[in-house]
Amino acid sequence: MKPEILDCTLRDGGLVNRFFFSDEFVRDLYLTNLEVGVDYMEFGYKASEKQFNWKDFGKLKFCREEDIRQVVGDHSSKMKISVMADVGRTERGSILARKDSVIDMIRIATYSSTIPEAIELIEECHEKGYETSVNIMAVSSDTESMIHKFLGEFCDSSVDVIYLVDSFGAFYPEQIRKLSNLYFEYAEKQGKLLGIHAHNNQQLAFANTLEAIHCGAGFADATCDGMGRGAGNCSMEMLVGYLKDKQLQELPILKFIEKHLIPMKEAGIRWGYELPYLLTGQGRVHPSRAIQFIQEGCKGLAGMFAQIAAGE
């Protein structure tokens, strides 16, 4: 079965340019996704306006209802809209009732250390009428017993989709297979779906996404040209090219990349695989270290490798 395809170019890609997308960029991406046959489009974060300064970010860091409606109007298309709510960075009670919003799904992002708060947010969004998913981040740092524990807790909640997230791009396909089977086993018993969100630190985002799909993932995340923080994500054009049928079209993605993303790269906005991201992926550490290293000129790869290997 073809999974539901979720485009998170604006949300994950917004981590590259602090969400400073032009209105034309956002509108063109929306129309592109409609033409491609994407099932869900994620607009950005529902971040707290008390914690983050509007002057420092573009408007899709906050995803106000009026800003989304400016692009989609009353949104009568079959493609659904999602936003992400980070536990601890989203104000409780700030999300409108589903009947008053064009948003269809709230995706809750959490670490294993904040599961109770994540479940509270899931239940709030569920009661307001939204579809919900949960993205448990940095799972490559969690023990097997921790994973079993949080999977059981989320399967007892109202969440619709449980995401396997390779935050650091640390997993190989055989590990994705093992974890996907585990997640799917828990999810299927409670009528929930498995999702996959992969990062490309070791150039395995596409391969790992396919592995999860073959294990039963019902949702797959991707971004145009793999746009995302650091090494980026599974590329939408690769995923659509693999899944391509009468309902999926790759050409509109290529046209969008040519119009918007290639000029962004030419202007100096940087994402995608580079050696420092390989090292953080292998070391299962946050890519922020590699980002800083690249900004400083990429000198001293051997030293960086030794430090990560030593756990420093």
Side-chain angles (χ1 to χ4, degrees), residues 3-295:
E4 299 288 287
I5 299 175
L6 188 147
D7 172 75
C8 49
T9 303
L10 294 176
R11 202 271 307 165
D12 225 315
L15 299 172
V16 175
N17 69 345
R18 301 177 75 84
F19 300 91
F20 286 114
F21 296 107
S22 69
D23 291 342
E24 181 187 21
F25 183 105
V26 178
R27 181 67 181 174
D28 283 355
L29 181 59
Y30 177 71
L31 295 175
T32 295
N33 282 329
L34 288 174
E35 190 175 356
V36 169
V38 165
D39 301 290
Y40 288 75
M41 177 176 171
E42 189 165 61
F43 269 69
Y45 283 98
K46 200 72 174 171
S48 168
E49 297 181 36
K50 296 178 182 178
Q51 294 185 40
F52 298 95
N53 192 328
W54 264 89
K55 295 180 181 179
D56 296 333
F57 299 93
K59 53 192 174 185
L60 295 183
K61 174 75 171 178
F62 307 95
C63 282
R64 286 179 170 177
E65 185 73 19
E66 57 266 33
D67 292 326
I68 298 177
R69 285 183 183 271
Q70 187 177 350
V71 176
V72 307
D74 290 331
H75 184 60
S76 57
S77 75
K78 66 178 182 179
M79 181 176 70
K80 295 183 178 181
I81 292 173
S82 76
V83 297
M84 181 164 277
D86 255 335
V87 169
R89 296 179 178 178
T90 300
E91 294 297 325
R92 293 291 305 277
S94 64
I95 296 171
L96 296 175
R98 169 69 187 86
K99 64 181 179 62
D100 300 321
S101 176
V102 291
I103 297 167
D104 300 285
M105 173 183 274
I106 307 291
R107 304 215 300 166
I108 289 85
T110 183
Y111 291 99
S112 58
S113 59
T114 54
I115 300 300
E117 294 91 335
I119 291 175
E120 288 179 3
L121 189 52
I122 287 167
E123 299 303 337
E124 176 187 332
C125 294
H126 176 76
E127 289 171 8
K128 289 182 175 180
Y130 292 96
E131 297 176 37
T132 56
S133 74
V134 63
N135 290 33
I136 308 101
M137 300 179 289
V139 70
S140 57
S141 301
D142 292 333
T143 65
E144 188 170 343
S145 62
M146 292 167 65
I147 293 172
H148 278 279
K149 184 175 184 297
F150 68 61
L151 285 175
E153 292 172 332
F154 283 123
C155 282
D156 288 337
S157 77
S158 299
V159 76
D160 298 299
V161 188
I162 302 174
Y163 263 87
L164 170 55
V165 181
D166 185 10
S167 298
F168 303 154
F171 289 134
Y172 297 102
E174 58 268 27
Q175 294 167 305
I176 290 290
R177 186 183 316 124
K178 179 181 177 181
L179 284 168
S180 293
N181 286 332
L182 177 62
Y183 275 54
F184 187 77
E185 180 182 352
Y186 271 91
E188 187 179 38
K189 288 178 181 178
Q190 298 295 329
K192 302 181 188 304
L193 295 173
L194 163 66
I196 178 66
H197 182 91
H199 285 251
N200 205 38
N201 297 61
Q202 300 189 78
Q203 299 197 79
L204 289 170
F206 178 53
N208 286 342
T209 297
L210 297 192
E211 193 67 49
I213 291 171
H214 295 159
C215 292
F219 273 74
D221 288 8
T223 64
C224 293
D225 196 29
M227 187 182 187
R229 178 170 55 191
N233 302 79
C234 176
S235 295
M236 181 67 75
E237 60 275 15
M238 297 177 75
L239 183 60
V240 168
Y242 175 80
L243 296 171
K244 187 162 54 180
D245 57 22
K246 292 181 180 179
Q247 283 73 47
L248 290 173
Q249 304 298 323
E250 184 178 352
L251 184 58
I253 306 170
L254 301 178
K255 291 180 178 178
F256 178 82
I257 291 171
E258 187 173 28
K259 180 179 179 180
H260 289 286
L261 298 185
I262 290 175
M264 286 179 73
K265 284 185 170 180
E266 290 174 344
I269 297 176
R270 198 166 174 177
W271 70 86
Y273 172 78
E274 296 191 45
L275 280 171
Y277 297 125
L278 168 68
L279 301 184
T280 57
Q282 290 175 334
R284 299 189 176 191
V285 296
H286 196 280
S288 57
R289 186 167 184 173
I291 293 170
Q292 181 180 357
F293 186 83
I294 290 168
Q295 290 173 343

